[in-house]
Amino acid sequence: EPEVTQTPSHQVTQMGQEVILRCVPISNHLYFYWYRQILGQKVEFLVSFYNNEISEKSEIFDDQFSVERPDGSNFTLKIRSTKLEDSAMYFCASSAANEKLFFGSGTQLSVL
Amino acid sequence: DQQVKQNSPSLSVQEGRISILNCDYTNSMFDYFLWYKKYPAEGPTFLISISSIKDKNEDGRFTVFLNKSAKHLSLHIVPSQPGDSAVYFCATRRDSSYKLIFGSGTRLLVRP
């Protein structure tokens, strides 16, 4: 069964460093998303991406965040200068028609 | 964000019996609803969805009921199996949006 894959599964970084989280969505999907879950909190939306551009973003997704689909298979989330409060599990998701989303297993980001 | 509430943080059910998970929402503009389950160290897995034009959708052991007047959603699992033990999230969105809003989750334990 097709699945969304995310790498790395764990990322530890120093505050102020840049991180790139990588995702390979399901191959025939057209909609791509990033969500995150801070420990003990709800899963929250960051950004959606369709037709090579951001279709919607949350207030969390400020200038420190960016997304890119550099080729036909990868979808990345970059955090330019990480803060302690960016520590969370980051989930990539994709869907065929902005309906049911399929999530990856997540990248646990720890900012020290 | 209290737009989607799952008021029961946990539920324990005997194997073979029915599990009923509940979700309340505040915004009548929400028109698409989903249930996800999540195992530790994995991403949310799509279970079942329902559009606001319906009041029931069934898929095998899983049935979702939507009561628009009460702004209430429920997931029934019959019969419950030990492998169903997981955290269950309801999620919803508005028709014009790409953003899913999640509840806080209910941890289901199915006892053998």
Side-chain angles (χ1 to χ4, degrees):
Chain A
E1 183 175 324
E3 60 180 22
V4 176
T5 56
Q6 289 187 244
T7 55
S9 56
H10 293 85
Q11 175 87 52
V12 180
T13 189
Q14 295 289 326
M15 191 169 57
Q17 294 295 304
E18 174 184 287
V19 293
I20 298 176
L21 309 183
R22 303 179 190 279
C23 171
V24 179
I26 294 172
S27 62
N28 61 343
H29 283 184
L30 301 176
Y31 298 80
F32 313 110
Y33 315 81
W34 285 99
Y35 284 77
R36 77 176 185 188
Q37 187 176 27
I38 295 171
L39 188 63
Q41 297 186 24
K42 293 182 179 182
V43 176
E44 53 188 355
F45 170 79
L46 292 176
V47 66
S48 60
F49 192 86
Y50 171 69
N51 201 25
N52 285 319
E53 62 182 18
I54 291 174
S55 46
E56 189 171 349
K57 61 182 181 179
S58 72
E59 57 278 3
I60 303 166
F61 195 88
D62 61 20
D63 292 345
Q64 292 300 311
F65 291 86
S66 62
V67 288
E68 195 176 36
R69 187 152 162 81
D71 52 40
S73 60
N74 291 284
F75 181 52
T76 62
L77 174 70
K78 182 193 291 187
I79 309 175
R80 275 183 250 288
S81 177
T82 49
K83 303 173 194 155
L84 296 175
E85 54 265 36
D86 293 329
S87 295
M89 179 71 89
Y90 287 79
F91 294 107
C92 173
S94 68
S95 70
N98 193 33
E99 292 184 338
K100 53 187 183 184
L101 274 63
F102 292 83
F103 286 82
S105 294
T107 294
Q108 180 65 56
L109 177 65
S110 299
V111 182
L112 306 179
Chain B
D1 185 342
Q2 294 298 308
Q3 296 187 77
V4 181
K5 289 184 188 177
Q6 293 178 255
N7 290 318
S8 299
S10 63
L11 175 67
S12 181
V13 169
Q14 191 74 38
E15 180 178 7
R17 306 295 290 270
I18 184 170
S19 295
I20 300 176
L21 299 114
N22 295 303
C23 179
D24 296 295
Y25 60 96
T26 56
N27 192 337
S28 58
M29 300 296 289
F30 292 146
D31 64 352
Y32 184 63
F33 303 87
L34 309 91
W35 282 95
Y36 282 85
K37 76 174 180 184
K38 187 179 180 303
Y39 295 116
E42 294 185 14
T45 301
F46 172 78
L47 274 177
I48 192 167
S49 62
I50 188 167
S51 159
S52 60
I53 61 172
K54 293 185 168 184
D55 54 19
K56 178 182 173 181
N57 189 27
E58 231 174 313
D59 185 1
R61 297 186 297 115
F62 302 92
T63 303
V64 56
F65 295 91
L66 177 61
N67 182 333
K68 288 184 287 294
S69 60
K71 297 191 184 69
H72 180 80
L73 186 71
S74 63
L75 175 68
H76 293 207
I77 307 173
V78 180
S80 301
Q81 299 172 354
D84 296 330
S85 298
V87 179
Y88 288 77
F89 295 95
C90 64
T92 182
R93 66 164 172 80
R94 294 175 59 157
D95 178 50
S96 56
S97 175
Y98 295 86
K99 168 185 172 181
L100 283 183
I101 301 170
F102 282 80
S104 53
T106 296
R107 184 177 301 277
L108 174 66
L109 173 65
V110 180
R111 307 184 309 273

